[in-house]
Amino acid sequence: MLSIQGPSNQPGSTQFPAPESLQVLPPQQQTVAILLAIGILVVVLELVRKRKLREEYSILWVVTAVLLLAMAIENNLLTFFQRAVGAVLPVSALFFGALLFLMLVALQYSVRLSKLTARNKTLCQKMALLEKDIEELRRRTNRHAEDPPEPGSDVTPEPATTESATPLKRTRKTKTEAS
Amino acid sequence: MSQSTLVLIPAHNEAPTIGAVLDGIRTHLPDADILVIDDCSGDGTGAIVRQHGALTVRHTFNLGYGAALQTGYHYAMRHGYERIVQMDGDGQHDPKSLPDLMAPLENGYDVVVGTRYRRGNAPAQSFSRRVGTKLFAWIVTKWTGIEITDPTSGYQAMTRRALREVAHESFPEDYPDADVLIGLHRNGIRLTETPVDMHERIAGVSMHRGSRVAFYAYKMALTLPLLPIRRRALFRDGRRETPVEAT
């Protein structure tokens, strides 16, 4: 799995090899990582091109794929990341990076979902209130149609309201009417 | 009542009881308008409400108790009501307590919480509900300095001043209880409570049931400690979208 085993096989050495001796990925792992990064990039860009993935949601995927590609090509970068997170093996650092990415994606989606839920609620409430307004306007329009003003009369009939037709509701003016 | 009053009733599948509740309100608060927020009922609740001559708005899909209340708040704001009463449509809240509930509003209070625990005839509750109510009552009382024995009561009256605070997008859409009372108090709203009559639920299901009790406890445990580090205007910060009442 590792290209340099070195001191770990020496008698009396520690159980895990020293990080200094494990600075590069084996060619096979490097190839897989590069192909994986390119694959992710291609799929994400294709999804964005087809408008199946919004640009804002592609950011984390693109950044992660680019970082993966950079670390697979440039071993110093992977070593730096490995030391920064305190990983013993380069592969462990890559797995840690993948886990971090998934957590960020999940968090991003949770935030978006919360926002969408709130917007969904607001839309539903607005629709309910607007439906009520339309219902009241229709009733008023029907009343006007049934009770036209006398020809030549200069008295404008009192606007009928939904409320006046119901025993529980007093006649009220909406803000729009009042203004 | 000299000022316009709206009675808000969030309702989800309350067909067996809503008619009697509306009749009771008509008897004890004859001058008030009544708005039933039909939270996507599938049992004809809305039709019964219309038969009884009350107003109704209907959610296209079920949003929950707090969101239904909020729709009613928006309606009250849009139509310029000075006072609102909120009560349940399942028959638990006795309409004959309506005058008692509204009386403190005449004395300068903005929010009156109806408590079931002061008349000695509180309906039976589960052990977890009793413990939770006592705990949150203690928290609200300590926090506000006002003795509130029934912070989970949905039987409340409020003035337009308080209505402006709660008619906001950030109003809790599930369980508007202790956190709302504390938030209102922090915003300078004058709270009090008054004894009311409550009964056992005649029909329907409680929103405090099963796993929801655990979520309720979790939500309060998360929300209450955050209150002190939130901005003072609990229900007014972060508004970026057009408010519902402005449509």
Side-chain angles (χ1 to χ4, degrees):
Chain A
M1 186 171 169
L2 300 170
S3 60
I4 302 170
Q5 295 298 321
S8 63
N9 295 329
Q10 301 289 327
S13 67
T14 54
Q15 188 178 356
F16 295 105
E20 292 77 11
S21 63
L22 301 163
Q23 292 179 353
V24 290
L25 284 172
Q28 190 180 353
Q29 286 180 13
Q30 189 175 28
T31 307
V32 169
I34 290 171
L35 288 177
L36 188 65
I38 292 172
I40 292 172
L41 266 178
V42 168
V43 170
V44 168
L45 293 177
E46 181 64 6
L47 286 171
V48 171
R49 188 186 69 80
K50 289 182 175 174
R51 301 188 192 285
K52 289 184 177 177
L53 178 66
R54 291 172 65 90
E55 289 84 350
E56 61 200 273
Y57 295 110
S58 69
I59 294 172
L60 264 177
W61 290 98
V62 170
V63 167
T64 305
V66 168
L67 282 177
L68 179 63
L69 189 62
M71 283 193 281
I73 293 171
E74 179 53 58
N75 286 318
N76 287 337
L77 200 62
L78 178 59
T79 307
F80 173 77
F81 181 61
Q82 176 197 344
R83 285 178 175 163
V85 299
V88 175
L89 304 174
V91 173
S92 303
L94 279 181
F95 272 114
F96 176 76
L99 188 66
L100 195 66
F101 159 72
L102 289 176
M103 283 171 62
L104 285 174
V105 167
L107 187 64
Q108 184 194 28
Y109 288 162
S110 296
V111 171
R112 292 283 175 182
L113 203 57
S114 299
K115 197 172 180 178
L116 285 174
T117 304
R119 286 182 173 176
N120 218 15
K121 181 200 72 173
T122 303
L123 281 175
C124 184
Q125 289 176 324
K126 282 187 179 180
M127 200 166 87
L129 293 171
L130 288 173
E131 277 180 347
K132 184 69 188 164
D133 287 348
I134 290 170
E135 184 189 314
E136 289 180 4
L137 283 171
R138 275 188 183 147
R139 287 189 189 181
R140 283 178 202 171
T141 309
N142 290 341
R143 285 210 157 208
H144 278 295
E146 289 168 6
D147 189 20
E150 290 287 326
S153 169
D154 58 351
V155 179
T156 308
E158 189 72 20
T161 63
T162 309
E163 295 78 17
S164 64
T166 60
L168 284 180
K169 186 79 178 69
R170 291 200 314 271
T171 302
R172 302 196 49 75
K173 285 187 175 180
T174 62
K175 278 183 177 175
T176 314
E177 288 175 298
S179 62
Chain B
M1 287 291 152
S2 57
Q3 294 168 302
S4 59
T5 302
L6 178 68
V7 179
L8 298 177
I9 307 175
H12 177 64
N13 293 338
E14 308 285 12
T17 55
I18 193 73
V21 171
L22 295 174
D23 291 340
I25 296 168
R26 179 190 290 179
T27 303
H28 296 284
L29 211 59
D31 291 334
D33 298 338
I34 304 172
L35 176 70
V36 175
I37 302 97
D38 180 2
D39 199 12
C40 198
S41 299
D43 64 349
T45 299
I48 295 171
V49 171
R50 280 187 289 275
Q51 283 167 12
H52 281 74
L55 298 165
T56 179
V57 294
R58 179 177 167 82
H59 286 164
T60 309
F61 41 86
N62 185 261
L63 289 180
Y65 178 79
L69 265 182
Q70 193 184 43
T71 302
Y73 296 153
H74 291 313
Y75 184 92
M77 286 293 289
R78 285 160 61 113
H79 290 77
Y81 286 94
E82 291 299 324
R83 294 166 175 211
I84 66 154
V85 176
Q86 62 189 53
M87 60 189 294
D88 292 352
D90 57 7
Q92 281 196 96
H93 299 160
D94 195 328
K96 77 179 180 202
S97 297
L98 281 168
D100 295 340
L101 188 69
M102 298 201 67
L105 298 182
E106 302 287 347
N107 300 325
Y109 289 104
D110 295 308
V111 173
V112 185
V113 181
T115 174
R116 75 201 83 184
Y117 299 117
R118 286 185 186 265
R119 285 185 175 166
N121 57 353
Q125 290 179 312
S126 66
F127 176 75
S128 59
R129 179 79 190 268
R130 282 203 308 276
V131 170
T133 301
K134 282 202 178 297
L135 173 66
F136 292 119
W138 181 80
I139 292 171
V140 173
T141 301
K142 284 287 175 192
W143 205 313
T144 63
I146 303 161
E147 189 175 5
I148 301 288
T149 57
D150 196 358
T152 63
S153 168
Y155 202 7
Q156 297 181 9
M158 66 178 74
T159 61
R160 189 170 178 82
R161 185 164 176 260
L163 186 62
R164 282 195 199 98
E165 298 288 333
V166 293
H168 188 268
E169 305 310 308
S170 58
F171 184 77
E173 59 194 73
D174 37 26
Y175 306 108
D177 288 336
D179 51 342
V180 171
L181 294 176
I182 292 170
L184 287 171
H185 180 261
R186 290 184 76 222
N187 289 356
I189 298 297
R190 288 155 293 191
L191 308 174
T192 188
E193 74 170 7
T194 194
V196 293
D197 290 317
M198 290 197 197
H199 307 293
E200 296 276 359
R201 181 185 304 279
I202 300 169
V205 290
S206 170
M207 65 176 184
H208 296 285
R209 66 182 191 277
S211 60
R212 296 186 183 197
V213 174
F215 175 70
Y216 175 80
Y218 162 77
K219 192 215 154 184
M220 288 297 166
L222 185 68
T223 309
L224 291 175
L226 289 176
L227 276 174
I229 55 173
R230 277 185 169 167
R231 290 182 198 170
R232 181 176 169 78
L234 180 63
F235 303 123
R236 286 179 292 201
D237 52 347
R239 171 175 277 178
R240 288 183 182 174
E241 295 171 11
T242 310
V244 173
E245 67 268 20
T247 53

